[in-house]
Amino acid sequence: RKNLVVAIDGYSSCGKSTLAKALAKKLGFIYIDSGAMYRAVTLYFLRNHTDMSNHDAIMDALQHIELNFHSRDYESHITLNGEEVSEEIRKMPVSENVSEVSAIKEVRTEMVRQQQRMGKSKNIVMDGRDIGTTVFADAQVKFFMTADPKIRAERRFKELQSKGDTETSLEDVFENLAHRDYADTTRKESPLVRAEDAIILDNTDITQEEQLEFALHKVTPHL
Ligand code: C5P
């Protein structure tokens, strides 16, 4: 392919989007948060009480969903039918249901189609669960990120607290991450798995600056 694609996959809350944003900023690439798309679809399904076991209901809902990204300084802002939902999709109700929604075949087919279109001609950094295996199996650079589950839960817990969430405990966060990791790695449709050619990046003990430096070192030969 002519345009450069950097694919970042890995478990929940292990710093994929932080690295992806920093990398995109440094390289002048477009950052696409594929998880935000599954989260926005989940929000729509929850609000509209979509019957997730009904093929026709799912197809009908998907037809009524329009997602758009608005990049502000490499933060990813997503709109659902014109409404800014970036904050709402990070809250617990969506986190608790997103893995069920993202396991639905019809949902994945549509999201993958949209993601492939977004990365057709531009240089991009995309993070998610199946980017290096399914969406862009031909990506020139692939990373697979992991980190100690306890550290991941602590990081996400602090993030929720800083946003004013006082209801969710560290335990709740830990359980949600464990549940999503389990669901994401065991589902039938493109489960989370490391692509054979993905570079493993365990960030339990390394700083964000070190991760960025490591990643840049792998990408620059392809520029
Ligand atoms: O990346 P984030 O944690 O926001 O993703 C939320 C959920 O969306 C994941 O737990 C997973 O179920 C789903 N997802 C996916 N495929 C992707 C990105 C996210 O199934 N490419």
Side-chain angles (χ1 to χ4, degrees), residues 99-167:
S99 286
E100 188 189 342
V101 173
S102 71
I104 300 170
K105 187 176 182 190
E106 293 90 334
V107 171
R108 300 208 71 81
T109 304
E110 179 56 24
M111 293 304 109
V112 169
R113 191 182 67 80
Q114 294 188 18
Q115 288 152 7
Q116 288 174 336
R117 203 178 50 204
M118 289 187 258
K120 205 165 175 187
S121 52
K122 294 171 186 141
N123 292 338
I124 61 162
V125 181
M126 190 181 286
D127 71 344
R129 302 292 186 289
D130 62 339
I131 312 306
T133 52
T134 304
V135 184
F136 297 108
D138 61 348
Q140 292 92 336
V141 188
K142 301 177 185 178
F143 294 104
F144 189 85
M145 292 181 70
T146 70
D148 183 299
K150 268 208 205 125
I151 302 268
R152 292 195 267 138
E154 276 164 23
R155 287 179 189 157
R156 182 49 59 101
F157 177 65
K158 277 188 198 146
E159 194 181 310
L160 284 170
Q161 287 217 314
S162 74
K163 286 180 182 158
D165 180 347
T166 50
E167 312 253 292

Side-chain angles (χ1 to χ4, degrees), residues 26-90:
K26 194 88 186 174
L27 296 164
F29 285 19
I30 288 170
Y31 163 58
I32 302 165
D33 175 355
S34 71
M37 298 171 71
Y38 290 97
R39 286 173 178 273
V41 170
T42 303
L43 180 61
Y44 182 94
F45 281 15
L46 289 175
R47 283 178 175 175
N48 294 278
H49 308 287
T50 305
D51 179 355
M52 298 183 203
S53 59
N54 181 326
H55 169 81
D56 292 340
I58 293 164
M59 293 310 285
D60 184 65
L62 286 172
Q63 276 197 344
H64 289 90
I65 294 175
E66 195 189 318
L67 303 176
N68 279 296
F69 281 106
H70 298 270
S71 215
R72 281 187 221 148
D73 194 25
Y74 297 96
E75 284 299 317
S76 99
H77 284 269
I78 191 166
T79 59
L80 166 62
N81 297 331
E83 177 194 349
E84 165 74 53
V85 292
S86 311
E87 292 213 348
E88 195 164 355
I89 59 168
R90 304 281 154 213

